[in-house]
Amino acid sequence: MKYFLIMSALLLTLTSCVPDPIDIEIEPPQSEIVVASQIIPGQTMLVSLTRSFSALSYNEEEGDSLTDDFLTDLLVTRARVTVSFAGQTEELFHLGNGVYGSLTTLQIPNEYYTLTVFDSTNNETVTAQTQMLPFVPFDTLFPVIERTNSDTTIFLDYTLSDSPGDNFYVLSVIKRNDDTSGVGIDLNSFFGVGLNVVTQTRLISDKEFGGNTINERFRLFEIEPDDSVVVTLSNVSREYFDYLTAQARSQGLVSEITQEPINRPTNVNGGRGFFNAYFPDARVFDLTEW
């Protein structure tokens, strides 16, 4: 009984020490331009422009939802977009859905590219600069399909020659999306805009491998033996590698288009995202032939 009285007194004391809740008004961060870019080998440079929005301004309990109209409002569709390189300036034209493309292939290794975006709707300018690193192709690349009575497992084998110094690569596996309903912007055009699904992305640092050759076999997921796939390899900067690493830690659509919870690296002055000009090696495989 004495123990019970002591515990009751302690609980009463602790409860009485809890302060009343205080309402705190937090101003949501200002919406900013978000940049993404992609070079399609032998075709064009594409730059995607959207706007960030704060999770503080998004409340499902108040009826907010990620509808098509809501996402469309995040697209930057009235901007003047230019890329300067090698003493010239190329203007990119709006192709729709906030994606801007060049008329020529801007593909000069080791050249610096400067992006300038002026959004006339908000009277806002952002800039970014990046260097196109040398093209690095696969030495060998092929799928391996192992079939048993109960299962089929698909692997990918690849090798590439690693140049001296610290190098970083991005390997992506892309398949065709047969269901295009609800598909958003896709900067890759291997199967057509809106038809691509990136099933896997591997971030490769040459520090993880010894010698001058990088080789690996890894299992493919969400790929069927009757799929067609594109495998791309890109030689990227350490800064973009760090950006993708931070991106991989934040899963889900909301974290992709808001400013929370991870403050990712960026090379965009006055905005967010990342402007890059890497030149990918792309290989197409029809798995029915393997």
Short mmCIF file of all heavy atoms in Angstrom, two decimals, residues 186-251:
data_model
loop_
_atom_site.label_atom_id
_atom_site.label_comp_id
_atom_site.label_asym_id
_atom_site.label_seq_id
_atom_site.Cartn_x
_atom_site.Cartn_y
_atom_site.Cartn_z
N ASP A 186 8.64 11.94 -67.84
CA ASP A 186 9.76 11.01 -67.97
C ASP A 186 10.77 11.64 -68.90
O ASP A 186 10.47 11.90 -70.07
CB ASP A 186 9.27 9.67 -68.51
CG ASP A 186 10.31 8.57 -68.33
OD1 ASP A 186 11.50 8.91 -68.27
OD2 ASP A 186 9.91 7.42 -68.24
N LEU A 187 11.98 11.89 -68.41
CA LEU A 187 12.98 12.54 -69.23
C LEU A 187 13.64 11.60 -70.22
O LEU A 187 14.30 12.03 -71.15
CB LEU A 187 14.06 13.18 -68.34
CG LEU A 187 13.58 14.32 -67.45
CD1 LEU A 187 14.76 14.91 -66.71
CD2 LEU A 187 12.89 15.40 -68.26
N ASN A 188 13.50 10.31 -70.02
CA ASN A 188 14.07 9.35 -70.96
C ASN A 188 13.09 9.12 -72.10
O ASN A 188 11.88 9.11 -71.90
CB ASN A 188 14.37 8.03 -70.27
CG ASN A 188 15.37 8.19 -69.15
OD1 ASN A 188 16.46 8.68 -69.35
ND2 ASN A 188 14.98 7.80 -67.95
N SER A 189 13.60 8.90 -73.31
CA SER A 189 12.69 8.67 -74.43
C SER A 189 13.03 7.38 -75.17
O SER A 189 12.83 7.27 -76.36
CB SER A 189 12.75 9.84 -75.42
OG SER A 189 14.03 9.93 -76.01
N PHE A 190 13.55 6.43 -74.44
CA PHE A 190 13.92 5.17 -75.09
C PHE A 190 12.68 4.43 -75.60
O PHE A 190 12.68 3.86 -76.67
CB PHE A 190 14.69 4.29 -74.11
CG PHE A 190 15.93 4.95 -73.59
CD1 PHE A 190 15.98 5.41 -72.29
CD2 PHE A 190 17.04 5.14 -74.39
CE1 PHE A 190 17.11 6.03 -71.79
CE2 PHE A 190 18.18 5.73 -73.90
CZ PHE A 190 18.21 6.19 -72.61
N PHE A 191 11.61 4.44 -74.81
CA PHE A 191 10.37 3.80 -75.23
C PHE A 191 9.29 4.83 -75.56
O PHE A 191 8.17 4.47 -75.88
CB PHE A 191 9.83 2.88 -74.12
CG PHE A 191 10.74 1.72 -73.84
CD1 PHE A 191 11.28 1.53 -72.58
CD2 PHE A 191 11.06 0.81 -74.83
CE1 PHE A 191 12.11 0.47 -72.32
CE2 PHE A 191 11.89 -0.26 -74.58
CZ PHE A 191 12.42 -0.44 -73.31
N GLY A 192 9.59 6.11 -75.45
CA GLY A 192 8.61 7.16 -75.66
C GLY A 192 8.28 7.83 -74.35
O GLY A 192 8.32 7.23 -73.29
N VAL A 193 7.95 9.13 -74.44
CA VAL A 193 7.67 9.91 -73.23
C VAL A 193 6.51 9.29 -72.47
O VAL A 193 5.46 9.00 -73.02
CB VAL A 193 7.36 11.37 -73.61
CG1 VAL A 193 6.95 12.16 -72.37
CG2 VAL A 193 8.58 12.01 -74.26
N GLY A 194 6.69 9.10 -71.18
CA GLY A 194 5.64 8.56 -70.33
C GLY A 194 5.53 7.06 -70.36
O GLY A 194 4.64 6.50 -69.72
N LEU A 195 6.41 6.38 -71.10
CA LEU A 195 6.30 4.92 -71.21
C LEU A 195 7.42 4.20 -70.48
O LEU A 195 7.50 2.98 -70.55
CB LEU A 195 6.32 4.50 -72.70
CG LEU A 195 5.13 4.94 -73.55
CD1 LEU A 195 5.32 4.46 -74.97
CD2 LEU A 195 3.83 4.41 -72.98
N ASN A 196 8.28 4.92 -69.79
CA ASN A 196 9.42 4.29 -69.14
C ASN A 196 9.22 4.13 -67.64
O ASN A 196 8.67 5.01 -66.99
CB ASN A 196 10.68 5.12 -69.38
CG ASN A 196 11.00 5.28 -70.84
OD1 ASN A 196 10.94 4.33 -71.60
ND2 ASN A 196 11.30 6.50 -71.26
N VAL A 197 9.71 3.02 -67.13
CA VAL A 197 9.74 2.78 -65.69
C VAL A 197 11.17 2.39 -65.31
O VAL A 197 11.70 1.40 -65.82
CB VAL A 197 8.77 1.66 -65.28
CG1 VAL A 197 8.91 1.38 -63.78
CG2 VAL A 197 7.34 2.03 -65.61
N VAL A 198 11.80 3.19 -64.46
CA VAL A 198 13.13 2.85 -63.96
C VAL A 198 12.94 1.86 -62.82
O VAL A 198 12.46 2.21 -61.75
CB VAL A 198 13.88 4.10 -63.49
CG1 VAL A 198 15.27 3.70 -62.95
CG2 VAL A 198 14.04 5.10 -64.63
N THR A 199 13.31 0.61 -63.06
CA THR A 199 13.07 -0.41 -62.05
C THR A 199 14.19 -0.48 -61.03
O THR A 199 13.97 -0.85 -59.88
CB THR A 199 12.91 -1.79 -62.71
OG1 THR A 199 14.12 -2.13 -63.41
CG2 THR A 199 11.74 -1.78 -63.68
N GLN A 200 15.42 -0.15 -61.46
CA GLN A 200 16.56 -0.19 -60.54
C GLN A 200 17.59 0.86 -60.93
O GLN A 200 17.77 1.15 -62.12
CB GLN A 200 17.22 -1.57 -60.55
CG GLN A 200 16.47 -2.65 -59.81
CD GLN A 200 17.09 -4.01 -60.00
OE1 GLN A 200 16.57 -4.85 -60.71
NE2 GLN A 200 18.22 -4.24 -59.36
N THR A 201 18.23 1.42 -59.93
CA THR A 201 19.34 2.33 -60.14
C THR A 201 20.46 1.93 -59.20
O THR A 201 20.24 1.80 -58.00
CB THR A 201 18.94 3.79 -59.89
OG1 THR A 201 17.91 4.17 -60.82
CG2 THR A 201 20.12 4.72 -60.06
N ARG A 202 21.65 1.73 -59.75
CA ARG A 202 22.81 1.38 -58.93
C ARG A 202 23.80 2.53 -58.97
O ARG A 202 24.18 3.00 -60.05
CB ARG A 202 23.46 0.09 -59.44
CG ARG A 202 22.54 -1.12 -59.34
CD ARG A 202 23.24 -2.39 -59.78
NE ARG A 202 24.20 -2.86 -58.79
CZ ARG A 202 23.87 -3.55 -57.70
NH1 ARG A 202 22.61 -3.80 -57.42
NH2 ARG A 202 24.80 -3.97 -56.87
N LEU A 203 24.19 2.99 -57.79
CA LEU A 203 25.18 4.04 -57.66
C LEU A 203 26.52 3.38 -57.40
O LEU A 203 26.69 2.69 -56.39
CB LEU A 203 24.80 5.00 -56.53
CG LEU A 203 23.41 5.64 -56.64
CD1 LEU A 203 23.14 6.55 -55.44
CD2 LEU A 203 23.27 6.40 -57.95
N ILE A 204 27.47 3.55 -58.31
CA ILE A 204 28.72 2.80 -58.29
C ILE A 204 29.89 3.74 -58.05
O ILE A 204 30.12 4.67 -58.84
CB ILE A 204 28.92 2.05 -59.62
CG1 ILE A 204 27.71 1.16 -59.92
CG2 ILE A 204 30.20 1.23 -59.60
CD1 ILE A 204 27.67 0.66 -61.35
N SER A 205 30.62 3.52 -56.99
CA SER A 205 31.87 4.22 -56.73
C SER A 205 33.02 3.26 -56.98
O SER A 205 32.99 2.11 -56.51
CB SER A 205 31.92 4.73 -55.29
OG SER A 205 33.21 5.21 -54.96
N ASP A 206 34.04 3.71 -57.73
CA ASP A 206 35.14 2.80 -58.03
C ASP A 206 35.96 2.45 -56.79
O ASP A 206 36.80 1.53 -56.83
CB ASP A 206 36.03 3.35 -59.13
CG ASP A 206 36.71 4.67 -58.75
OD1 ASP A 206 36.46 5.17 -57.63
OD2 ASP A 206 37.48 5.19 -59.58
N LYS A 207 35.72 3.15 -55.68
CA LYS A 207 36.41 2.81 -54.44
C LYS A 207 35.99 1.44 -53.91
O LYS A 207 36.70 0.83 -53.11
CB LYS A 207 36.13 3.87 -53.38
CG LYS A 207 36.70 5.25 -53.71
CD LYS A 207 36.37 6.24 -52.61
CE LYS A 207 36.92 7.63 -52.95
NZ LYS A 207 36.60 8.63 -51.91
N GLU A 208 34.83 0.96 -54.38
CA GLU A 208 34.33 -0.34 -53.93
C GLU A 208 34.96 -1.49 -54.69
O GLU A 208 34.73 -2.66 -54.36
CB GLU A 208 32.81 -0.38 -54.08
CG GLU A 208 32.08 0.73 -53.31
CD GLU A 208 30.60 0.76 -53.65
OE1 GLU A 208 30.15 -0.15 -54.38
OE2 GLU A 208 29.91 1.69 -53.21
N PHE A 209 35.74 -1.17 -55.74
CA PHE A 209 36.34 -2.21 -56.57
C PHE A 209 37.85 -1.98 -56.66
O PHE A 209 38.32 -0.85 -56.66
CB PHE A 209 35.74 -2.20 -57.98
CG PHE A 209 34.25 -2.42 -58.01
CD1 PHE A 209 33.38 -1.36 -57.82
CD2 PHE A 209 33.73 -3.68 -58.21
CE1 PHE A 209 32.00 -1.55 -57.85
CE2 PHE A 209 32.36 -3.89 -58.24
CZ PHE A 209 31.49 -2.83 -58.06
N GLY A 210 38.58 -3.05 -56.75
CA GLY A 210 40.04 -2.94 -56.89
C GLY A 210 40.45 -3.05 -58.35
O GLY A 210 39.75 -3.66 -59.17
N GLY A 211 41.58 -2.47 -58.70
CA GLY A 211 42.07 -2.56 -60.06
C GLY A 211 41.43 -1.56 -61.00
O GLY A 211 40.78 -0.61 -60.59
N ASN A 212 41.63 -1.82 -62.29
CA ASN A 212 41.15 -0.90 -63.32
C ASN A 212 39.88 -1.37 -64.00
O ASN A 212 39.44 -0.76 -64.99
CB ASN A 212 42.24 -0.71 -64.39
CG ASN A 212 43.50 -0.10 -63.80
OD1 ASN A 212 43.43 0.77 -62.93
ND2 ASN A 212 44.65 -0.57 -64.28
N THR A 213 39.30 -2.45 -63.50
CA THR A 213 38.07 -2.98 -64.09
C THR A 213 37.00 -3.13 -63.02
O THR A 213 37.26 -3.62 -61.91
CB THR A 213 38.32 -4.35 -64.75
OG1 THR A 213 39.30 -4.21 -65.78
CG2 THR A 213 37.04 -4.92 -65.34
N ILE A 214 35.81 -2.68 -63.35
CA ILE A 214 34.65 -2.85 -62.47
C ILE A 214 33.77 -3.91 -63.11
O ILE A 214 33.42 -3.82 -64.29
CB ILE A 214 33.88 -1.54 -62.30
CG1 ILE A 214 34.75 -0.50 -61.59
CG2 ILE A 214 32.57 -1.76 -61.54
CD1 ILE A 214 34.11 0.87 -61.48
N ASN A 215 33.46 -4.96 -62.36
CA ASN A 215 32.57 -6.00 -62.88
C ASN A 215 31.66 -6.48 -61.78
O ASN A 215 32.03 -6.49 -60.60
CB ASN A 215 33.37 -7.16 -63.48
CG ASN A 215 34.26 -7.82 -62.44
OD1 ASN A 215 33.81 -8.67 -61.69
ND2 ASN A 215 35.53 -7.43 -62.40
N GLU A 216 30.47 -6.88 -62.18
CA GLU A 216 29.46 -7.23 -61.19
C GLU A 216 28.35 -8.04 -61.85
O GLU A 216 28.08 -7.88 -63.05
CB GLU A 216 28.88 -5.95 -60.58
CG GLU A 216 27.93 -6.15 -59.42
CD GLU A 216 27.36 -4.83 -58.91
OE1 GLU A 216 27.49 -3.82 -59.63
OE2 GLU A 216 26.80 -4.83 -57.82
N ARG A 217 27.73 -8.89 -61.08
CA ARG A 217 26.47 -9.53 -61.46
C ARG A 217 25.46 -9.23 -60.38
O ARG A 217 25.72 -9.43 -59.20
CB ARG A 217 26.62 -11.05 -61.61
CG ARG A 217 25.27 -11.77 -61.74
CD ARG A 217 25.40 -13.28 -61.88
NE ARG A 217 25.90 -13.62 -63.21
CZ ARG A 217 25.88 -14.86 -63.69
NH1 ARG A 217 25.41 -15.86 -62.96
NH2 ARG A 217 26.35 -15.13 -64.90
N PHE A 218 24.31 -8.71 -60.78
CA PHE A 218 23.27 -8.42 -59.79
C PHE A 218 21.91 -8.84 -60.34
O PHE A 218 21.69 -8.89 -61.56
CB PHE A 218 23.27 -6.95 -59.37
CG PHE A 218 22.94 -5.98 -60.48
CD1 PHE A 218 21.63 -5.57 -60.68
CD2 PHE A 218 23.93 -5.47 -61.29
CE1 PHE A 218 21.32 -4.68 -61.69
CE2 PHE A 218 23.64 -4.56 -62.29
CZ PHE A 218 22.32 -4.17 -62.49
N ARG A 219 21.03 -9.11 -59.41
CA ARG A 219 19.70 -9.61 -59.78
C ARG A 219 18.78 -8.46 -60.17
O ARG A 219 18.82 -7.38 -59.57
CB ARG A 219 19.09 -10.38 -58.62
CG ARG A 219 17.72 -11.00 -58.93
CD ARG A 219 17.21 -11.83 -57.78
NE ARG A 219 15.89 -12.38 -58.07
CZ ARG A 219 15.19 -13.15 -57.23
NH1 ARG A 219 15.70 -13.47 -56.05
NH2 ARG A 219 14.00 -13.60 -57.58
N LEU A 220 17.97 -8.69 -61.20
CA LEU A 220 16.97 -7.71 -61.63
C LEU A 220 15.64 -8.03 -60.99
O LEU A 220 15.21 -9.19 -60.94
CB LEU A 220 16.82 -7.72 -63.15
CG LEU A 220 18.07 -7.36 -63.97
CD1 LEU A 220 17.73 -7.34 -65.45
CD2 LEU A 220 18.64 -6.03 -63.53
N PHE A 221 14.98 -7.00 -60.51
CA PHE A 221 13.65 -7.13 -59.92
C PHE A 221 12.64 -6.38 -60.78
O PHE A 221 12.99 -5.44 -61.50
CB PHE A 221 13.64 -6.60 -58.49
CG PHE A 221 14.52 -7.38 -57.55
CD1 PHE A 221 15.81 -6.94 -57.26
CD2 PHE A 221 14.07 -8.55 -56.97
CE1 PHE A 221 16.62 -7.65 -56.40
CE2 PHE A 221 14.88 -9.28 -56.11
CZ PHE A 221 16.16 -8.83 -55.82
N GLU A 222 11.39 -6.80 -60.69
CA GLU A 222 10.28 -6.20 -61.45
C GLU A 222 10.50 -6.32 -62.95
O GLU A 222 9.99 -5.51 -63.73
CB GLU A 222 10.09 -4.73 -61.05
CG GLU A 222 9.80 -4.52 -59.57
CD GLU A 222 9.61 -3.06 -59.24
OE1 GLU A 222 9.06 -2.33 -60.09
OE2 GLU A 222 10.02 -2.65 -58.15
N ILE A 223 11.28 -7.31 -63.36
CA ILE A 223 11.52 -7.57 -64.78
C ILE A 223 11.09 -9.00 -65.08
O ILE A 223 11.41 -9.93 -64.33
CB ILE A 223 13.02 -7.40 -65.13
CG1 ILE A 223 13.47 -5.97 -64.87
CG2 ILE A 223 13.27 -7.78 -66.58
CD1 ILE A 223 12.86 -4.93 -65.76
N GLU A 224 10.35 -9.16 -66.20
CA GLU A 224 9.87 -10.47 -66.61
C GLU A 224 10.64 -10.94 -67.85
O GLU A 224 11.19 -10.12 -68.60
CB GLU A 224 8.37 -10.42 -66.91
CG GLU A 224 7.50 -10.00 -65.73
CD GLU A 224 7.58 -10.96 -64.56
OE1 GLU A 224 7.81 -12.16 -64.82
OE2 GLU A 224 7.40 -10.52 -63.41
N PRO A 225 10.67 -12.26 -68.09
CA PRO A 225 11.43 -12.79 -69.23
C PRO A 225 10.94 -12.31 -70.59
O PRO A 225 11.65 -12.44 -71.59
CB PRO A 225 11.27 -14.31 -69.10
CG PRO A 225 10.95 -14.53 -67.65
CD PRO A 225 10.16 -13.34 -67.23
N ASP A 226 9.72 -11.75 -70.68
CA ASP A 226 9.21 -11.26 -71.96
C ASP A 226 9.30 -9.74 -72.07
O ASP A 226 8.74 -9.14 -72.99
CB ASP A 226 7.76 -11.72 -72.17
CG ASP A 226 6.83 -11.24 -71.07
OD1 ASP A 226 7.32 -10.71 -70.05
OD2 ASP A 226 5.61 -11.41 -71.21
N ASP A 227 10.03 -9.08 -71.15
CA ASP A 227 10.19 -7.63 -71.18
C ASP A 227 11.29 -7.21 -72.14
O ASP A 227 12.21 -7.98 -72.44
CB ASP A 227 10.53 -7.09 -69.79
CG ASP A 227 9.31 -6.99 -68.87
OD1 ASP A 227 8.20 -6.82 -69.41
OD2 ASP A 227 9.49 -7.10 -67.65
N SER A 228 11.18 -5.97 -72.61
CA SER A 228 12.30 -5.30 -73.25
C SER A 228 12.84 -4.28 -72.26
O SER A 228 12.07 -3.58 -71.60
CB SER A 228 11.86 -4.60 -74.54
OG SER A 228 11.50 -5.53 -75.53
N VAL A 229 14.17 -4.21 -72.14
CA VAL A 229 14.76 -3.31 -71.16
C VAL A 229 15.88 -2.50 -71.82
O VAL A 229 16.48 -2.90 -72.81
CB VAL A 229 15.33 -4.08 -69.94
CG1 VAL A 229 14.24 -4.81 -69.21
CG2 VAL A 229 16.45 -5.01 -70.36
N VAL A 230 16.09 -1.32 -71.26
CA VAL A 230 17.24 -0.49 -71.60
C VAL A 230 18.11 -0.38 -70.37
O VAL A 230 17.61 -0.11 -69.27
CB VAL A 230 16.80 0.92 -72.06
CG1 VAL A 230 18.03 1.80 -72.31
CG2 VAL A 230 15.96 0.83 -73.32
N VAL A 231 19.40 -0.60 -70.54
CA VAL A 231 20.37 -0.45 -69.44
C VAL A 231 21.29 0.71 -69.80
O VAL A 231 21.87 0.74 -70.90
CB VAL A 231 21.18 -1.74 -69.23
CG1 VAL A 231 22.13 -1.57 -68.04
CG2 VAL A 231 20.25 -2.93 -69.01
N THR A 232 21.38 1.69 -68.92
CA THR A 232 22.21 2.86 -69.18
C THR A 232 23.33 2.95 -68.16
O THR A 232 23.16 2.59 -67.00
CB THR A 232 21.39 4.16 -69.15
OG1 THR A 232 20.91 4.39 -67.83
CG2 THR A 232 20.22 4.09 -70.12
N LEU A 233 24.47 3.45 -68.61
CA LEU A 233 25.61 3.70 -67.75
C LEU A 233 26.07 5.13 -67.96
O LEU A 233 26.28 5.55 -69.10
CB LEU A 233 26.76 2.74 -68.06
CG LEU A 233 28.06 2.98 -67.29
CD1 LEU A 233 27.89 2.61 -65.82
CD2 LEU A 233 29.21 2.19 -67.92
N SER A 234 26.22 5.88 -66.86
CA SER A 234 26.61 7.29 -66.96
C SER A 234 27.78 7.57 -66.04
O SER A 234 27.78 7.14 -64.87
CB SER A 234 25.43 8.20 -66.58
OG SER A 234 24.30 7.92 -67.39
N ASN A 235 28.76 8.27 -66.56
CA ASN A 235 29.89 8.76 -65.78
C ASN A 235 29.49 10.11 -65.21
O ASN A 235 29.27 11.07 -65.96
CB ASN A 235 31.11 8.88 -66.70
CG ASN A 235 32.34 9.40 -65.98
OD1 ASN A 235 32.45 9.34 -64.76
ND2 ASN A 235 33.29 9.92 -66.75
N VAL A 236 29.39 10.23 -63.88
CA VAL A 236 28.83 11.43 -63.26
C VAL A 236 29.82 12.03 -62.27
O VAL A 236 30.78 11.38 -61.84
CB VAL A 236 27.49 11.13 -62.55
CG1 VAL A 236 26.48 10.55 -63.53
CG2 VAL A 236 27.69 10.19 -61.36
N SER A 237 29.56 13.26 -61.90
CA SER A 237 30.40 13.96 -60.94
C SER A 237 30.13 13.48 -59.52
O SER A 237 29.08 12.88 -59.23
CB SER A 237 30.14 15.47 -61.00
OG SER A 237 28.82 15.77 -60.56
N ARG A 238 31.09 13.76 -58.64
CA ARG A 238 30.91 13.41 -57.23
C ARG A 238 29.71 14.14 -56.65
O ARG A 238 28.95 13.59 -55.86
CB ARG A 238 32.18 13.76 -56.44
CG ARG A 238 32.04 13.62 -54.92
CD ARG A 238 31.73 12.18 -54.54
NE ARG A 238 31.50 12.02 -53.13
CZ ARG A 238 32.46 11.65 -52.26
NH1 ARG A 238 33.71 11.46 -52.69
NH2 ARG A 238 32.20 11.49 -51.00
N GLU A 239 29.50 15.39 -57.07
CA GLU A 239 28.38 16.18 -56.54
C GLU A 239 27.05 15.56 -56.93
O GLU A 239 26.13 15.46 -56.10
CB GLU A 239 28.47 17.62 -57.05
CG GLU A 239 29.65 18.42 -56.51
CD GLU A 239 30.97 18.05 -57.16
OE1 GLU A 239 30.95 17.39 -58.24
OE2 GLU A 239 32.02 18.40 -56.59
N TYR A 240 26.91 15.14 -58.19
CA TYR A 240 25.66 14.52 -58.61
C TYR A 240 25.48 13.16 -57.96
O TYR A 240 24.37 12.76 -57.61
CB TYR A 240 25.61 14.40 -60.13
CG TYR A 240 24.27 13.94 -60.64
CD1 TYR A 240 23.10 14.63 -60.34
CD2 TYR A 240 24.17 12.79 -61.43
CE1 TYR A 240 21.87 14.20 -60.80
CE2 TYR A 240 22.94 12.36 -61.91
CZ TYR A 240 21.79 13.08 -61.59
OH TYR A 240 20.57 12.64 -62.04
N PHE A 241 26.57 12.43 -57.78
CA PHE A 241 26.52 11.15 -57.08
C PHE A 241 25.99 11.35 -55.66
O PHE A 241 25.14 10.58 -55.18
CB PHE A 241 27.91 10.53 -57.06
CG PHE A 241 27.97 9.15 -56.48
CD1 PHE A 241 27.74 8.03 -57.26
CD2 PHE A 241 28.27 8.95 -55.13
CE1 PHE A 241 27.81 6.76 -56.74
CE2 PHE A 241 28.35 7.68 -54.60
CZ PHE A 241 28.11 6.57 -55.40
N ASP A 242 26.48 12.38 -54.97
CA ASP A 242 26.01 12.68 -53.61
C ASP A 242 24.53 13.07 -53.62
O ASP A 242 23.77 12.71 -52.72
CB ASP A 242 26.84 13.79 -52.99
CG ASP A 242 28.26 13.35 -52.68
OD1 ASP A 242 28.51 12.13 -52.63
OD2 ASP A 242 29.12 14.23 -52.51
N TYR A 243 24.13 13.80 -54.66
CA TYR A 243 22.72 14.19 -54.79
C TYR A 243 21.83 12.95 -54.93
O TYR A 243 20.79 12.83 -54.26
CB TYR A 243 22.55 15.11 -55.99
CG TYR A 243 21.10 15.40 -56.36
CD1 TYR A 243 20.38 16.37 -55.67
CD2 TYR A 243 20.46 14.70 -57.38
CE1 TYR A 243 19.05 16.65 -56.00
CE2 TYR A 243 19.15 14.97 -57.72
CZ TYR A 243 18.45 15.94 -57.03
OH TYR A 243 17.13 16.21 -57.34
N LEU A 244 22.23 12.02 -55.79
CA LEU A 244 21.44 10.81 -55.98
C LEU A 244 21.44 9.93 -54.73
O LEU A 244 20.45 9.26 -54.43
CB LEU A 244 21.98 10.02 -57.17
CG LEU A 244 21.79 10.67 -58.54
CD1 LEU A 244 22.42 9.79 -59.61
CD2 LEU A 244 20.32 10.90 -58.84
N THR A 245 22.55 9.93 -53.99
CA THR A 245 22.61 9.17 -52.75
C THR A 245 21.61 9.71 -51.74
O THR A 245 20.90 8.96 -51.07
CB THR A 245 24.03 9.21 -52.17
OG1 THR A 245 24.94 8.65 -53.12
CG2 THR A 245 24.12 8.42 -50.88
N ALA A 246 21.54 11.04 -51.65
CA ALA A 246 20.56 11.65 -50.74
C ALA A 246 19.15 11.39 -51.22
O ALA A 246 18.24 11.15 -50.42
CB ALA A 246 20.83 13.16 -50.64
N GLN A 247 18.95 11.41 -52.53
CA GLN A 247 17.63 11.14 -53.09
C GLN A 247 17.18 9.72 -52.78
O GLN A 247 16.01 9.47 -52.47
CB GLN A 247 17.66 11.36 -54.60
CG GLN A 247 16.30 11.24 -55.28
CD GLN A 247 16.42 11.46 -56.77
OE1 GLN A 247 17.16 10.77 -57.46
NE2 GLN A 247 15.71 12.45 -57.27
N ALA A 248 18.12 8.78 -52.84
CA ALA A 248 17.78 7.39 -52.57
C ALA A 248 17.35 7.17 -51.12
O ALA A 248 16.62 6.24 -50.81
CB ALA A 248 18.96 6.49 -52.90
N ARG A 249 17.80 8.04 -50.22
CA ARG A 249 17.43 7.90 -48.82
C ARG A 249 16.02 8.40 -48.54
O ARG A 249 15.46 8.12 -47.49
CB ARG A 249 18.42 8.67 -47.94
CG ARG A 249 19.81 8.07 -47.92
CD ARG A 249 20.59 8.54 -46.70
NE ARG A 249 20.69 9.99 -46.65
CZ ARG A 249 21.73 10.68 -47.13
NH1 ARG A 249 22.73 10.04 -47.71
NH2 ARG A 249 21.77 11.99 -47.04
N SER A 250 15.48 9.19 -49.45
CA SER A 250 14.13 9.72 -49.24
C SER A 250 13.20 9.07 -50.24
O SER A 250 13.21 9.38 -51.42
CB SER A 250 14.12 11.25 -49.42
OG SER A 250 14.54 11.59 -50.71
N GLN A 251 12.42 8.12 -49.78
CA GLN A 251 11.54 7.35 -50.65
C GLN A 251 10.15 7.97 -50.66
O GLN A 251 9.69 8.56 -49.71
CB GLN A 251 11.46 5.90 -50.17
CG GLN A 251 12.79 5.19 -50.15
CD GLN A 251 13.40 5.06 -51.52
OE1 GLN A 251 12.69 4.84 -52.49
NE2 GLN A 251 14.71 5.16 -51.61
#
